[in-house]
Amino acid sequence: MMDTMLKRMSLRSLYALLGFAILTAFFLLGSCLHQIGIPIPGGVLGLILFYLSMSTGLVKLKWVESMAGLMLRHMVLLFVPLTVGLMEMGQLLSKQAVAITASLLVSLVAVMVTTGLLGRWLLPALPAAGKEAGQ
Amino acid sequence: MNFLVTHPVFSIAFTLLSYFLATVLHRRWRWIPPIVAACLPIVALLLLVREPYEKYNQGGNCLTWLLGPATVALAVPMYRHGVALRRSLPTLALIVLAGSVVGMITAGGTAWLLGAPLPVVMSTIPKSVTTPIAIEVCRELKGIPQITIALVILAGVLGASFGAPLMRLVGVKDDRAIGAAIGTAAHGVGTASLVRRSEMQATVSSWAMAAAGVFTSLLAALLKLFLH
């Protein structure tokens, strides 16, 4: 009983390590491609290549699922250090407060209204969503 | 004392501890944003021991680097939900692309018209997309990552609170359209707010958030070429 539990646990942590290795490898691959002149950020290039690898079956969802889930759930932790940097930007922020706030509000409403209305006009022609997800 | 506090390992450990406490607080009081609760103890400590941000960031940087693999991890929900949505995928892609273009132009345009300096204008452009991608796009455009992060967080919180009422106001009722709008405008924070409302909204939203990130990076690359 104890043995099977340990085996299952170590298997799970091996999957986590494998997942981390795969995600890091794709990030580094993307960063190399970015370095040699592709103008898209390395992480996004990695994301695209990783998506294609899963679509073609080169990488199995099962290998990365647990680590990807963990990283996405706790992503907030990863941008804490950069956010702390705001403490040194008080002056710039207060000087540009109006422009920054206006830009945020205008753009937020514009994106939601454009996307929502386009969706309202273009999507209903397609098969009912519920049925499709159930296939 | 200051040797200990500025040691990179201490910075990492203290950040983990603050984050842990922030998630506990957030679980008890839902309205506390974890990111704010996680940053405050760190800022307080740095002010208390009179050390600059730069010293803390020697350790903090290690966590920032992990945003790279985390960006790649976004492909997982995109792939998984893409399978469920496959028939509406081309149309959804078009809609999210249009939303991303409008978002970048209106954000940058408003800041520019109000006379903000170029780095600030560039920092506002990726404000609709998920944090790790927004930071990378901001760096590409030579913006200021901290400003982008603050805007991304605010866009997420505002989009999560006012997105659904706004959709009702303009008469959008289709679950997929609502999901696409909130995922494109308010990334992960908006998506999380939909999970309890409707499964279809949340599925489309998490696909749209990843797609908007990819499209915005591609469009930013074009913008960069155009500016040179």
Side-chain angles (χ1 to χ4, degrees), chain A residues 1-10:
Chain A
M1 166 98 174
M2 192 67 189
D3 268 1
T4 20
M5 247 172 73
L6 275 177
K7 219 180 263 171
R8 203 171 295 156
M9 264 167 63
S10 65

Side-chain angles (χ1 to χ4, degrees), chain A residues 6-22:
Chain A
L6 275 177
K7 219 180 263 171
R8 203 171 295 156
M9 264 167 63
S10 65
L11 197 65
R12 204 179 297 160
S13 44
L14 277 179
Y15 266 120
L17 279 176
L18 177 68
F20 187 70
I22 292 174

Side-chain angles (χ1 to χ4, degrees), chain A residues 19-28 30-31 34 37-57 59-62 64-89 92-93 95-135, chain B residues 15-16 19 34-35 38-39 42-43 46-47 52-53 56-57 60-61 63-80 82 84-89 91-92 94-96 98-99 102-103 106-108 110-111 114-117 120 124 127-128 130-133 135-137 139-140 144-147 149-151 153-155 158-159 162-163 166-167 170-172 174 176-177 180-182 184-185 200 207 213-214 217-218 221:
Chain A
F20 187 70
I22 292 174
L23 293 174
T24 311
F26 274 97
F27 169 63
L28 291 174
S31 302
H34 177 69
I38 299 179
I40 302 163
V44 180
L45 274 175
L47 187 166
I48 295 170
L49 292 171
F50 180 48
Y51 185 95
L52 294 176
S53 309
M54 281 192 293
S55 310
T56 53
V59 174
K60 293 225 165 61
L61 191 59
K62 197 183 151 194
V64 288
E65 239 173 354
S66 65
M67 196 59 198
L70 183 75
M71 290 192 99
L72 293 176
R73 265 199 310 284
H74 295 291
M75 196 133 82
V76 170
L77 167 69
L78 305 182
F79 52 86
V80 167
L82 278 174
T83 314
V84 171
L86 276 172
M87 66 184 267
E88 295 200 328
M89 298 207 165
L92 176 68
L93 281 179
K95 224 195 278 169
Q96 299 299 328
V98 177
I100 292 174
T101 315
S103 148
L104 170 71
L105 295 177
V106 169
S107 168
L108 187 68
V109 173
V111 178
M112 285 201 287
V113 171
T114 316
T115 319
L117 286 181
L118 278 176
R120 180 186 164 188
W121 293 323
L122 298 176
L123 284 171
L126 294 161
K131 249 185 259 164
E132 189 183 32
Q135 278 174 355
Chain B
T15 310
L16 280 167
Y19 174 72
I35 181 69
C39 287
I42 301 169
V43 174
L46 289 176
L47 294 175
Y53 169 67
Y56 159 77
N57 206 26
N61 237 334
L63 291 172
T64 307
W65 273 113
L66 286 174
L67 281 171
T71 311
V72 178
L74 284 167
V76 170
M78 200 180 174
Y79 174 73
R80 198 187 281 145
L85 296 169
R86 63 188 175 284
R87 282 220 214 128
S88 15
L89 225 47
T91 317
L92 273 177
L94 190 75
I95 295 167
V96 173
V102 169
T106 49
T110 310
L114 290 173
V120 174
T124 64
K127 73 112 198 42
S128 306
T130 181
T131 315
I133 297 184
I135 292 166
E136 286 201 79
V137 171
R139 285 188 178 136
E140 281 294 298
I144 305 156
Q146 277 82 6
I147 294 185
I149 293 185
L151 285 170
I153 294 167
L154 287 171
L158 291 174
F162 303 112
L166 181 66
M167 289 296 101
V170 293
V172 176
D174 188 298
R176 290 166 297 177
I182 292 179
T184 309
M200 181 44 71
W207 186 86
V214 173
S217 324
L218 299 176

